[in-house]
Amino acid sequence: MEHGYVGRFAPSPTGPLHFGSLIAALASYLSARAAGGRWLVRMEDLDPPREVPGAAEKILRTLATYGLEWDGPVLYQSTRSEAYQDALAELRRAGLAFDCGCTRREIREAARAEGLGAVYPGTCREGLPPGKAPRAVRVRAGNGTVGFADAVQGSFEQDLEREVGDFVVRRADGLFAYQLAVVVDDAEQGVTHVVRGADLLGSTPRQIHLQRGLGLPTPEYAHFPVAATPGGLKLSKATRAPALPEDDPVPWLVAAYSFLGQPRPPEAQRLDLPTFWAWARETWDPARIPRARQVEAREG
């Protein structure tokens, strides 16, 4: 276990970094450096069908070009299957994990019939019904509310059983789910502070639930607003966010820094990369980050 502040940035290699990715990297990096801590990079390459060949290498090259220097080796989740399997076995021993034989269509129909919306109706919670074979593995949501104090968004709580239901930790295709992998890897790397977009705010209670079930520490969380298109959609690869250019990073860094509520440096157009980073480290103040779930992006 690491001591002191340990932060991380964990992109998925499904394409190049874009402006929203830069905001996430910048916020987590500066938070770690301001605390005199370490900043790690983890490649969330858990879903081979969605990955783009060469994307992981391009992401690392872009981070280096933009002056974002990470500590230690990059952790690739694709190398961590044994650790995830061990965690799953621990959840089974604790009586928290169970096999589910339902298809998505069956879940939708059963949930609709019981007026549960998109919440898993608990069909296989007490054992597979006759004729069903195991597909996914789920974790019992349990009773009661899971809450935490977010450094940006404030108090947040969620009734997992009513709002989420028993959730998947290993998919029907055999791949481990994000929720399990992120919890196991944060603990393995000694991550103490998770700084990420508010689109993941609703995932945090599930992760805390897993941390408790596995006897793992819970990091401090800070969820900054995600960058949105003028139409209100999250800026992402799915909304065709353009890749970050590698020939002139400073305007994009300044725009990302400003998006996070920080002061714009004087004569930004004349800054070189070292001068920007000196300015950013000197003036960074997490208290200025807007307490909103999303903000329209104004890119470099």
Side-chain angles (χ1 to χ4, degrees):
M1 175 66 69
E2 298 288 345
H3 298 283
Y5 189 114
V6 181
R8 48 81 162 170
F9 174 60
S12 299
T14 54
L17 296 181
H18 52 76
F19 185 64
S21 313
L22 179 60
I23 292 166
L26 192 64
S28 59
Y29 178 83
L30 285 171
S31 295
R33 296 303 188 226
R38 302 179 72 233
W39 187 68
L40 311 178
V41 172
R42 177 192 309 152
M43 201 62 62
E44 293 191 339
D45 53 346
L46 271 180
D47 195 349
R50 296 183 59 239
E51 291 165 22
V52 174
E57 293 77 11
K58 181 172 177 57
I59 286 170
L60 297 177
R61 187 171 63 248
T62 301
L63 290 175
T65 299
Y66 276 64
L68 289 146
E69 300 173 347
W70 59 91
D71 298 301
V74 176
L75 181 72
Y76 291 81
Q77 288 189 327
S78 58
T79 69
R80 300 274 295 151
S81 293
E82 185 175 346
Y84 307 147
Q85 188 59 52
D86 289 345
L88 186 58
E90 180 63 28
L91 291 169
R92 287 189 187 275
R93 284 193 294 269
L96 294 174
F98 64 91
D99 291 322
C100 176
C102 302
T103 64
R104 291 184 181 181
R105 178 179 178 181
E106 288 170 338
I107 292 170
R108 284 196 304 269
E109 291 176 351
R112 189 182 304 119
E114 296 185 29
L116 296 174
V119 175
Y120 175 71
T123 308
C124 303
R125 186 181 299 151
E126 304 307 325
L128 290 171
K132 280 193 179 295
R135 291 169 54 84
V137 179
R138 293 180 179 270
V139 161
R140 300 174 189 275
N143 298 316
T145 297
V146 177
F148 66 100
D150 189 82
V152 176
Q153 303 294 336
S155 178
F156 184 84
E157 60 181 31
Q158 191 177 70
D159 186 326
L160 281 181
E161 186 170 33
R162 293 188 178 185
E163 297 179 54
V164 178
D166 303 329
F167 56 93
V168 172
V169 287
R170 195 180 69 194
R171 298 173 4 184
D173 59 8
L175 298 176
F176 290 97
Y178 164 78
Q179 306 294 354
L180 180 65
V182 71
V183 163
V184 172
D185 290 340
D186 280 345
E188 171 65 24
Q189 294 188 285
V191 171
T192 62
H193 292 72
V194 174
V195 180
R196 61 188 181 187
D199 55 322
L200 290 168
L201 186 66
S203 289
T204 306
R206 274 171 278 176
Q207 292 166 22
I208 293 174
H209 181 62
L210 286 172
Q211 289 156 2
R212 292 172 179 173
L214 292 166
L216 301 175
T218 295
E220 299 290 327
Y221 289 97
H223 289 83
F224 54 82
V226 297
T229 67
L233 299 175
K234 176 192 171 185
L235 198 67
S236 66
K237 301 176 186 76
T239 54
R240 300 185 179 180
L244 291 173
E246 296 191 18
D247 57 342
D248 189 14
V250 170
W252 292 81
L253 286 164
V254 170
Y257 195 67
S258 177
F259 176 92
L260 290 164
Q262 309 303 309
R264 294 185 70 88
E267 300 184 2
Q269 69 276 12
R270 299 183 185 179
L271 286 181
D272 60 16
L273 200 57
T275 306
F276 166 79
W277 282 116
W279 164 269
R281 289 194 183 206
E282 180 182 346
T283 60
W284 172 252
D285 182 2
R288 295 193 184 106
I289 298 175
R291 293 186 64 166
R293 299 290 178 88
Q294 67 178 38
V295 172
E296 184 177 333
R298 300 181 184 278
E299 303 172 17

